[in-house]
Amino acid sequence: MVKVDRRIAKTQEALKKAVIELMTEKNFDDITIQEIADRADVNRGTIYLHYQDKFDLLDRLIESHLNEMGEMDEWACELEWKDALVPYFEYFEKNYLFFSTMLASKGAPSSFRTRLLTSFMEGFKYEIDRDSGRNTNLTDDVMLQYAGTAYVGIIEWWIKNGMPHPPRVMAEQVGTLLGRSL
Amino acid sequence: MVKVDRRIAKTQEALKKAVIELMTEKNFDDITIQEIADRADVNRGTIYLHYQDKFDLLDRLIESHLNEMGEMDEWACELEWKDALVPYFEYFEKNYLFFSTMLASKGAPSSFRTRLLTSFMEGFKYEIDRDSGRNTNLTDDVMLQYAGTAYVGIIEWWIKNGMPHPPRVMAEQVGTLLGRSL
DNA sequence: GCAGATGCGTTCATCAATGAACAGATCCCG
DNA sequence: CGGGATCTGTTCATTGATGAACGCATCTGC
């Protein structure tokens, strides 16, 4: 992990935060580069030092979240389901604004749901029970699609309904259900 | 008003915020330059581009607040007392952490109370009623000291007690009392 | 249709922030 | 007392951010 210049980290952080905020206020397509720069308190030209355009910025924003969740996979892979899921729901809670915005916005980035699903299914692949024999009549693609859409769906519900249960409770219940499905 | 480079504004803002935060956690004398830099996410050397040392930083932090309140004077000087005080109490409320820290900390910057008092008395000087004749038996220094300490005292009480009344209510009551005293 | 306005992407000289290093001061523990 | 550790204030080459300008494209309304 090469440590990045703190100036770069700060401006990128500010830019990502600005995009999320603006997306709660208007459609992504209606957001202008100048608005992002103003909101982030950054020179307009500075954006182009890091990103191609606003679509690239949004893309990298999504990517960074998926990567961060990917890193949590490695920490969690040796834990029981319900323990492993706690940090995930805490992450969703912490980045509430991002997830609610990305899951709600009806415009171009509806692809987010798909990318999230793909990412989850990729992670589930190594969690399928292949030993006990209880899944011999099930194929991987069906199990992955089933568990993946269920997981995305429950997160979507949880976020959009103002997170009615604390992360720990969600982790326990969803952990139980995912364990039964894989 | 020459516009300052936004990089300068950002780092100074971060440094001031860092100092206030750290002062809520430990005595000012125990705070190290490195801690301030870390908290502000700024290189240690950068501090010396703007300030002599941490005392200068604290000094300029106080100064900037007094100046900002001084600018509010000019906007407010032609209003009635109770209207003029509203933005002040809103300012105290907004910068709650600063005022509570500065008024509470028992160490070296107990001078803050004195500086605040001096600043208020300076502002009151032009508000004394010299026309109606009801103050002919009173001297300026007595009135200023009386109203000044009362004002500082009531702010101190309000802040330390968790701002039990909204700014508008405080402004009305304190406005009435100050009007009677000057 | 065209003129003004707005947004985009890029350029460049200038300035601010970085981080690493340095010597000196002070602290503190053995 | 001595020496390791920590904090300070300063230096400097390097890198990132700035803001102003530019040409170009796309709207918008007269």
Side-chain angles (χ1 to χ4, degrees):
Chain A
M1 201 55 149
V2 284
K3 61 177 68 178
V4 3
D5 192 304
R6 76 216 304 167
R7 284 172 294 184
I8 295 179
K10 282 184 210 171
T11 62
Q12 292 193 355
E13 212 50 49
L15 286 172
K16 289 174 179 175
K17 181 163 172 280
V19 169
I20 295 174
E21 281 182 25
L22 287 168
M23 283 181 69
T24 68
E25 300 167 15
K26 55 167 70 178
N27 199 305
F28 180 72
D29 294 320
D30 298 335
I31 298 174
T32 173
I33 290 280
Q34 183 68 62
E35 279 177 315
I36 300 173
D38 289 344
R39 183 67 65 107
D41 194 17
V42 150
N43 191 283
R44 186 167 60 89
T46 303
I47 296 180
Y48 297 104
L49 296 178
H50 302 279
Y51 306 101
Q52 294 291 325
D53 46 38
K54 67 174 181 177
F55 300 100
D56 185 38
L57 171 47
L58 178 63
D59 226 56
R60 304 263 284 279
L61 167 59
I62 295 172
E63 206 72 44
S64 66
H65 277 287
L66 295 182
N67 283 341
E68 229 170 307
M69 287 192 286
E71 289 173 14
M72 290 166 62
D73 270 343
E74 298 164 18
W75 269 97
C77 63
E78 55 200 56
L79 296 172
E80 286 299 315
W81 267 111
K82 59 176 198 172
D83 294 325
L85 284 182
V86 173
Y88 283 92
F89 277 95
E90 287 172 348
Y91 186 80
F92 300 142
E93 187 184 46
K94 179 182 160 197
N95 299 98
Y96 168 78
L97 200 54
F98 170 75
F99 285 102
S100 69
T101 304
M102 292 305 297
L103 289 171
S105 110
K106 308 229 195 303
S110 80
S111 67
F112 176 69
R113 239 193 84 103
T114 310
R115 294 177 68 174
L116 198 59
L117 176 60
T118 307
S119 174
F120 287 154
M121 287 170 57
E122 184 65 28
F124 289 165
K125 203 180 291 182
Y126 310 98
E127 302 297 333
I128 296 176
D129 177 7
R130 306 176 193 282
D131 306 324
S132 75
R134 68 193 179 90
N135 289 332
T136 45
N137 288 331
L138 299 170
T139 59
D140 283 13
D141 54 356
V142 170
M143 283 188 288
L144 290 174
Q145 194 70 34
Y146 180 89
T149 50
Y151 192 31
V152 172
I154 197 67
I155 292 165
E156 208 169 346
W157 167 83
W158 187 58
I159 289 289
K160 285 185 178 173
N161 287 70
M163 304 175 291
H165 305 296
R168 183 162 303 277
V169 172
M170 289 301 295
E172 282 178 18
Q173 300 196 31
V174 176
T176 302
L177 293 168
L178 281 177
R180 291 183 194 165
S181 306
L182 292 171
Chain B
M1 203 55 151
V2 283
K3 63 176 69 177
V4 11
D5 192 305
R6 75 214 307 166
R7 285 171 293 183
I8 295 179
K10 282 184 209 172
T11 62
Q12 293 193 354
E13 212 51 50
L15 286 172
K16 289 174 180 175
K17 181 162 172 281
V19 170
I20 295 174
E21 280 182 26
L22 287 168
M23 282 182 69
T24 68
E25 300 168 15
K26 55 167 70 178
N27 199 305
F28 180 72
D29 294 321
D30 298 336
I31 298 174
T32 173
I33 290 279
Q34 184 68 64
E35 279 177 314
I36 300 173
D38 289 344
R39 184 67 66 106
D41 195 16
V42 149
N43 189 282
R44 187 167 60 88
T46 303
I47 296 180
Y48 298 103
L49 297 178
H50 303 280
Y51 307 101
Q52 293 292 325
D53 47 37
K54 66 174 180 176
F55 300 100
D56 185 37
L57 171 47
L58 178 62
D59 226 55
R60 304 264 283 278
L61 167 58
I62 294 173
E63 207 72 47
S64 67
H65 277 287
L66 294 182
N67 284 340
E68 227 170 309
M69 286 191 286
E71 289 172 15
M72 291 167 62
D73 271 342
E74 299 163 17
W75 269 97
C77 63
E78 56 200 57
L79 295 172
E80 287 298 315
W81 268 111
K82 60 175 197 172
D83 293 325
L85 285 183
V86 172
Y88 284 91
F89 277 94
E90 286 172 348
Y91 186 80
F92 300 143
E93 187 183 45
K94 180 183 159 198
N95 299 96
Y96 168 79
L97 200 55
F98 170 75
F99 284 102
S100 70
T101 303
M102 292 305 297
L103 289 171
S105 109
K106 307 229 194 305
S110 80
S111 67
F112 176 69
R113 237 194 86 102
T114 310
R115 292 177 68 174
L116 198 59
L117 176 59
T118 307
S119 172
F120 286 155
M121 285 170 59
E122 185 64 29
F124 289 165
K125 203 181 290 183
Y126 310 98
E127 302 297 333
I128 295 176
D129 177 6
R130 306 175 193 281
D131 306 324
S132 76
R134 70 194 179 89
N135 289 333
T136 44
N137 288 332
L138 298 170
T139 59
D140 283 14
D141 55 355
V142 169
M143 284 188 287
L144 289 175
Q145 194 70 34
Y146 180 90
T149 50
Y151 192 30
V152 172
I154 197 67
I155 292 166
E156 208 168 348
W157 168 83
W158 187 59
I159 290 288
K160 286 187 178 171
N161 287 70
M163 304 175 291
H165 305 296
R168 184 163 302 276
V169 172
M170 289 300 295
E172 281 178 20
Q173 299 195 29
V174 176
T176 302
L177 292 168
L178 281 177
R180 291 184 195 164
S181 305
L182 292 171

